[in-house]
Amino acid sequence: MDSNTTKIVLFTLGEAPDHRGRLISDIWGMSDEALESTHDYIQWLFPIPEGNSYNDFAPLLTAEAANWFHRNPELQAQQKKSLDRMVRFFGLKATGSGFEAALHLNGRDHLWLRQFDHNHRRISRIIQSLHLCHQPKLARSFREVVVQVGQRQGDVSDATVGFWRTATEER
């Protein structure tokens, strides 16, 4: 197993910390305020093949790591728990068939409903990671609710919606 794969698999299974010593359960337990102001956890919860300037320490998703997700239901379940936490952070909730807006959802408290918010990149990453980690139904379901809610209840730009829609395309 290559180094990136080892880091992603062990972190996702809760067996090793990220670059700051946090376990996946520590991140799940962060308050919404901490999730909003901290920018170096999302790359660990939802790895993709591309890096970014916020976290040079996060491992990149390799084909080998993606195959581990494909073969390991426990990895998929852990990533689903990460999605569940982020869904709550975004003011959404799980339903039997997908996700929907929670009753308290508003642009004042949920910054992602505003134009040009940094959470739009997080949402793109989540959709892409779920897709690449062999969870396409979750990726599509999450994508559809953020598109619908972002346009109906928010001020999310057409360009951002376009990024979300293409996040499940092969690169």
Side-chain angles (χ1 to χ4, degrees):
M1 196 180 328
D2 68 51
S3 170
N4 277 326
T5 300
T6 300
K7 288 177 184 178
I8 290 169
V9 167
L10 292 178
F11 173 79
T12 302
L13 292 174
E15 297 174 7
D18 68 5
H19 67 289
R20 289 186 46 197
R22 300 171 296 202
L23 293 172
I24 195 168
S25 59
D26 297 329
I27 295 171
W28 294 339
M30 291 170 69
S31 69
D32 285 351
E33 293 78 16
L35 290 175
E36 178 61 40
S37 64
T38 306
H39 300 280
D40 65 352
Y41 65 88
I42 200 78
Q43 301 86 356
W44 286 87
L45 296 179
F46 299 98
I48 59 174
E50 300 86 27
N52 70 31
S53 60
Y54 291 107
N55 188 352
D56 291 336
F57 300 103
L60 302 180
L61 184 70
T62 62
E64 182 182 18
N67 284 330
W68 272 83
F69 276 88
H70 182 66
R71 295 187 318 258
N72 189 319
E74 189 176 353
L75 284 171
Q76 292 178 14
Q78 289 287 94
Q79 193 177 44
K80 170 70 168 70
K81 287 181 186 178
S82 294
L83 176 62
D84 290 343
R85 177 61 188 104
M86 295 308 296
V87 161
R88 288 192 312 278
F89 169 73
F90 292 125
L92 306 169
K93 63 181 181 176
T95 66
S97 60
F99 305 98
E100 64 184 26
L103 293 176
H104 65 281
L105 187 67
N106 64 72
R108 187 186 72 246
D109 296 329
H110 298 94
L111 300 178
W112 75 273
L113 292 171
R114 300 177 185 175
Q115 277 198 3
F116 312 115
D117 184 68
H118 70 99
N119 286 301
H120 297 171
R121 289 184 178 191
R122 288 177 175 173
I123 290 168
S124 296
R125 171 181 282 276
I126 292 167
I127 296 166
Q128 183 182 9
S129 181
L130 290 168
H131 177 73
L132 294 173
C133 290
H134 300 278
Q135 301 209 67
K137 287 181 184 177
L138 279 178
R140 285 190 305 273
S141 182
F142 179 65
R143 179 192 65 208
E144 291 312 309
V145 75
V146 294
V147 166
Q148 180 184 46
V149 171
Q151 290 183 318
R152 187 179 306 154
Q153 293 179 243
D155 191 20
V156 177
S157 72
D158 290 341
T160 296
V161 168
F163 283 118
W164 294 345
R165 289 184 196 262
T166 60
T168 56
E169 294 177 359
E170 297 302 320
R171 303 194 191 283

